[in-house]
Amino acid sequence: MSEVILFNTKEELTNIVGNYAIVTVIVNQEQMSVTRINDDVYVFESKCPHFDHPMKDAKVSPAGKVTCTWHNYQFDLNSGKESETRCRSMKTKKAYYNENGQLLVQL
Ligand code: FES
């Protein structure tokens, strides 16, 4: 299992990823989306599993869901499951802080 540093500090994260905002990052040559709900960080696919719409346009809710703006499919940010199972689940990655305060993502 490998991991990559997403942000060097929590401050760097909060400066770049606003609360409920979605930012696209490149990790290991792969585009991923990062969002934040207060202190909880979620990493997921950069394109919608339904029809590849960019997830940077999606809307994040306080309940931990992300809704694609094209056909309004809604995905759980933890499990990636679409609310009505209308398409495959969104791929999600686990993000966590190490002992140095860096935010890592598991590949
Ligand atoms: S492309 Fe995202 S819901 Fe259809």
Side-chain angles (χ1 to χ4, degrees):
M1 173 175 30
S2 61
E3 54 195 19
V4 167
I5 298 169
L6 266 186
F7 295 98
N8 282 306
T9 62
K10 188 174 178 178
E11 185 181 16
E12 184 181 67
L13 164 75
T14 55
N15 285 340
I16 293 173
V17 184
N19 221 9
Y20 303 108
I22 299 174
V23 172
T24 304
V25 296
I26 296 177
V27 177
N28 258 13
Q29 301 175 336
E30 182 185 353
Q31 281 196 345
M32 294 182 197
S33 299
V34 180
T35 191
R36 184 169 69 80
I37 301 176
N38 302 312
D39 286 338
D40 296 326
V41 180
Y42 303 91
V43 181
F44 51 99
E45 287 182 67
S46 63
K47 292 187 177 172
C48 180
H50 178 227
F51 225 61
D52 285 345
H53 191 69
M55 291 303 277
K56 67 177 174 50
D57 298 338
K59 301 288 177 224
V60 176
S61 78
K65 311 278 187 196
V66 60
T67 303
C68 176
T69 50
W70 194 357
H71 309 101
N72 294 316
Y73 283 22
Q74 187 180 64
F75 301 88
D76 185 285
L77 285 166
N78 283 305
S79 69
K81 191 167 188 257
E82 201 280 318
S83 61
E84 296 176 36
T85 325
R86 293 172 283 192
C87 67
R88 72 168 171 82
S89 294
M90 178 178 76
K91 291 178 196 156
T92 61
K93 305 254 185 214
K94 186 173 163 60
Y96 48 92
Y97 290 97
N98 66 10
E99 65 278 0
N100 299 320
Q102 297 168 312
L103 183 69
L104 308 177
V105 63
Q106 202 172 76
L107 301 178

